[in-house]
Amino acid sequence: MSQYLIIAFSIFLGAIFVGCAIIASLLLAFRTPDSRRKVQAYECAEDPLGTARIQFKVGYYIFALLFLVFDIESLFLFPCLKIFRSVTENPTDLVNPSVLFIELGVFVVILFTGLIYAWKKGVLKWE
Amino acid sequence: MQNNIDSSLYPTTNGVGDFVRSMLSAQSAELVNNVLAIIAILMVVALSPVVLIWLERKVAAHFQARLGPMRVGWHGMLQPMADGIKLIFKEVLKPEGADSFIFFLAPILPATASFLVLTVIPFDHHLQVTDLPAGVLYVIAVSGLGVMGVLLAGWSSNNKYSLLGAMRSGAQMISYEISLAFLMLLIVLLSGTASLREIVFSQQGTVMDWWIFKFPVFGFIAFVLFLISSTAELNRGPFDIAEAESELTGGFSTEYSGISFAMFFLAEFVNMFVAAALTTTFFLGGFLSPQFGIAPLDQVLNMVPGFIWFFLKSYVVIFIFMWFRWTFPRPRVDQLMDLEWKILLPLNLLIMITGGIFVGMGWV
């Protein structure tokens, strides 16, 4: 548990480190008064046209969904992979390596099928 | 800093840590040691960008047969310092219509996240802030925070280039993160442990016992895949389409200036070091000295402290990253996504199954 306290402490120190740099800059930086041109969003020297929160490709969203699937897959694989070696070295009645390997294989194959399905559906195509 | 040390496994001790332990009571000594370790890592965070920016410019220059920065300090060594100080004195602009809270929060996230990964990396036998039993899982989780910073920055800037650049970066980073996660899990499968220090110790022996060679052929393939995925995850050339200057101005950081921009820049270079450090830990034996099975040579190599080997190996990997950048042309965005989802991911799953067979049969 104390290990995680150290992590929490380093989050705190890391944020302070970055915060100090930003505060130092706020105190030291030169400032000029705001003008309309100065605060204008950059658009290659043109006046910005319309809103910046434009509609963009839905493709990004689909990739995010796929990412979610595979990221959670890696999370589910983790415990299985972690014990694989120790189970191989001393198998018990409850878990033995061949059963574990088959389970691993089935899990990976199902997800791989999912990837192929998405591929055939044209989700991975980037236009 | 260290709990339940097995003295046969960890023969060397840390001079500074022992000194603190001999001077103070056990409780306060541990606290002081932790603070010292975290401060040491903060120094790495603060100084490695300075070295890396110089190295990046010099390597780039020599690849193009020119000299690079030469004026400030010896061979331009102080140039990054000068640039950093300049950035501190620059005004931070906030564009009209930007969401100020998120706009100023965004640069803090990637910088802190890159620092957090460093806390579990073993620099030497006893030079590690904390060794989590599920270190690999922690690394996967924390390195994902960087994407948040990029997306928040792009969205809050109120700029079309920023938004598109952030979306591209985000899509690229999350895609290659899967590859990275799978490759880290492959190492967990091979070594049977998720603690980074134990992963290093699972590579004890000669050079042939490092995971790059110990897992025949596939280990090397996995190493190459790890390098490719790290390059893409770092948004570095040749995979820097997100901030391709000729297309999207500056990507997600278009509207950032002064110290806020410096924070993104810092995070980028610290992340580069982190990626190299992870490659070293997982594939190149971490802080272990290279052994060749020739007794006199091995003894000489063993005399060099572990952290020197660690930094040496990391900088070799960093040089490979820089080499990539000036060797390969930039792919198109669709080619980049195809590379990940249609080539790297199936290959990763294949290597995972092969790894399972190898471990199951007792071949590695």
Side-chain angles (χ1 to χ4, degrees):
Chain A
M1 197 56 224
S2 70
Q3 292 163 322
Y4 291 95
L5 281 178
I6 296 169
I7 297 288
F9 187 55
S10 22
I11 295 177
F12 178 67
L13 269 187
I16 283 188
F17 173 73
V18 180
C20 281
I22 287 173
I23 289 168
S25 165
L26 284 181
L27 294 175
L28 291 169
F30 301 110
R31 306 199 141 267
T32 52
D34 283 1
S35 66
R36 196 179 71 83
R37 286 291 178 204
K38 185 183 146 191
V39 297
Q40 205 166 50
Y42 175 77
E43 209 164 298
C44 298
E46 297 279 341
D47 283 336
L49 209 64
T51 174
R53 275 84 196 229
I54 47 171
Q55 280 193 328
F56 50 85
K57 254 173 67 70
V58 72
Y60 294 108
Y61 180 69
I62 292 168
F63 275 104
L65 281 180
L66 272 178
F67 161 73
L68 219 58
V69 171
F70 280 92
D71 214 35
I72 290 174
E73 179 196 358
S74 68
L75 206 65
F76 280 137
L77 276 175
F78 177 77
C80 186
L81 298 175
K82 168 77 174 61
I83 60 161
F84 196 73
R85 182 175 278 274
S86 58
V87 167
T88 316
E89 274 152 20
N90 1 272
T92 57
D93 296 336
L94 207 61
V95 268
N96 69 59
S98 47
V99 171
L100 202 58
F101 182 76
I102 290 166
E103 282 175 356
L104 196 83
V106 168
F107 192 63
V108 169
V109 164
I110 288 174
L111 276 140
F112 193 59
T113 320
L115 180 66
I116 290 175
Y117 176 74
W119 191 340
K120 287 283 164 259
K121 275 278 180 184
V123 172
L124 301 182
K125 212 176 338 173
W126 194 278
E127 283 143 3
Chain B
M1 186 158 45
Q2 301 93 30
N3 315 335
N4 28 357
I5 303 160
D6 179 4
S7 58
S8 61
L9 255 182
Y10 311 105
T12 35
T13 54
N14 186 306
V16 180
D18 284 348
F19 177 71
V20 170
R21 265 188 288 275
S22 69
M23 295 297 283
L24 300 165
S25 68
Q27 280 256 303
S28 49
E30 196 178 321
L31 187 73
V32 170
N33 273 341
N34 283 331
V35 173
L36 280 179
I38 295 173
I39 290 172
I41 296 219
L42 271 178
M43 295 312 286
V44 172
V45 170
L47 291 179
S48 65
V50 175
V51 180
L52 288 178
I53 291 169
W54 178 77
L55 206 64
E56 171 96 298
R57 294 185 65 178
K58 275 296 188 189
V59 169
H62 285 280
F63 268 102
Q64 298 166 348
R66 57 189 174 83
L67 287 174
M70 288 295 279
R71 303 271 168 157
V72 192
W74 184 77
H75 278 249
M77 285 283 282
L78 296 177
Q79 185 70 49
M81 288 279 206
D83 288 346
I85 292 168
K86 181 199 76 178
L87 279 173
I88 289 179
F89 283 102
K90 289 284 176 188
E91 186 174 355
V92 181
L93 293 178
K94 185 180 83 70
E96 199 177 23
D99 188 332
S100 32
F101 177 67
I102 299 179
F103 186 77
F104 290 115
L105 176 77
I108 299 177
L109 261 178
T112 315
S114 57
F115 165 71
L116 282 179
V117 183
L118 281 173
T119 53
V120 290
I121 289 175
F123 289 91
D124 202 342
H125 291 271
H126 285 286
L127 202 63
Q128 184 182 18
V129 174
T130 180
D131 188 46
L132 297 180
V136 172
L137 213 55
Y138 171 80
V139 169
I140 295 172
V142 171
S143 58
L145 281 176
V147 188
M148 297 285 167
V150 169
L151 288 176
L152 289 179
W155 181 255
S156 64
S157 290
N158 194 31
N159 183 316
K160 288 168 201 135
Y161 299 115
S162 296
L163 182 63
L164 286 175
M167 284 304 153
R168 274 197 189 184
S169 297
Q172 178 184 340
M173 283 162 95
I174 58 173
S175 298
Y176 282 84
E177 214 169 278
I178 295 173
S179 259
L180 277 182
F182 273 106
L183 289 164
M184 290 185 206
L185 288 182
L186 173 74
I187 298 297
V188 171
L189 169 70
L190 291 173
S191 58
T193 170
S195 129
L196 267 73
R197 194 194 304 187
E198 279 166 33
I199 285 176
V200 171
F201 279 113
S202 74
Q203 306 177 58
Q204 255 169 341
T206 60
V207 170
M208 295 312 281
D209 283 321
W210 294 354
W211 284 121
I212 177 174
F213 300 123
K214 200 174 176 182
F215 182 29
V217 186
F218 294 99
F220 189 75
I221 297 174
F223 173 72
V224 172
L225 294 186
F226 199 85
L227 283 184
I228 295 173
S229 313
S230 303
T231 316
E233 171 85 8
L234 292 169
N235 276 328
R236 279 181 60 78
F239 303 120
D240 60 345
I241 51 154
E243 42 181 293
E245 287 90 348
S246 43
E247 296 170 43
L248 286 170
T249 330
F252 62 88
S253 58
T254 304
E255 287 291 355
Y256 280 87
S257 55
I259 193 78
S260 297
F261 175 72
M263 283 301 134
F264 277 120
F265 212 58
L266 179 117
E268 203 172 295
F269 281 94
V270 176
N271 272 329
M272 192 163 136
F273 179 75
V274 167
L278 287 177
T279 316
T280 307
T281 309
F282 289 141
F283 291 99
L284 302 177
F287 52 76
L288 300 173
S289 62
Q291 304 280 292
F292 298 97
I294 310 162
L297 180 66
D298 287 352
Q299 271 171 358
V300 174
L301 292 174
N302 258 334
M303 263 147 57
V304 181
F307 67 92
I308 292 187
W309 285 120
F310 185 86
F311 279 98
L312 212 64
K313 289 171 187 173
S314 300
Y315 274 88
V316 168
V317 175
I318 285 171
F319 179 74
I320 295 175
F321 284 147
M322 291 174 177
W323 196 352
F324 271 1
R325 179 168 184 172
W326 301 107
T327 306
F328 297 111
R330 191 185 283 152
R332 276 199 325 263
V333 62
D334 59 325
Q335 290 168 335
L336 190 81
M337 292 314 230
D338 280 2
L339 176 69
E340 162 62 20
W341 292 97
K342 296 183 182 169
I343 298 172
L344 295 192
L345 191 57
L347 211 56
N348 274 333
L349 294 175
L350 203 73
I351 292 178
M352 187 84 85
I353 299 275
T354 321
I357 294 172
F358 270 66
V359 173
M361 302 300 273
W363 291 338
V364 283

